[in-house]
Amino acid sequence: MVNAFKSSTAGDFRVPPQNVDNKAPANQKTSITIICEAEKRGIIKPQLPKLEKGYPICGKGTKKVTK
C-alpha cells in the first residue's frame, strides 16, 4: 500500500510583483507558490522546485499540481 501514493513538494518564492501583475509598484515584493507531485508512485524524495527567470518551476521528476 505504500506505493499507492506519490510524493509531493512545494515552494514559495518572494519575487517582484511585476512577475504577477505588470501594473504593480516596483518597490514591493509578492510571493508565488507552486505545488509539485512526483511523476512516479512510491517513497521518493522529489527535487525541490526552483525559480527560473522569475517564475517557479517543478524539479526534475515532478510536475505541477493544477487541481
Side-chain angles (χ1 to χ4, degrees):
M1 232 21 205
V2 173
N3 292 334
F5 299 101
K6 294 182 181 180
S7 298
S8 62
T9 187
D12 186 54
F13 301 92
R14 302 264 305 154
V15 297
Q18 294 80 12
N19 291 21
V20 180
D21 179 3
N22 60 5
K23 296 178 184 174
N27 62 345
Q28 297 179 356
K29 293 282 185 179
T30 190
S31 63
I32 298 177
T33 302
I34 189 167
I35 301 171
C36 306
E37 174 182 74
E39 293 174 341
K40 296 181 181 178
R41 298 185 187 280
I43 301 174
I44 63 164
K45 182 178 179 183
Q47 286 191 4
L48 296 175
K50 61 183 178 178
L51 201 59
E52 190 171 283
K53 297 181 182 178
Y55 296 93
I57 61 168
C58 292
K60 185 177 179 180
T62 65
K63 62 182 178 180
K64 183 176 179 180
V65 175
T66 57
K67 290 186 180 183

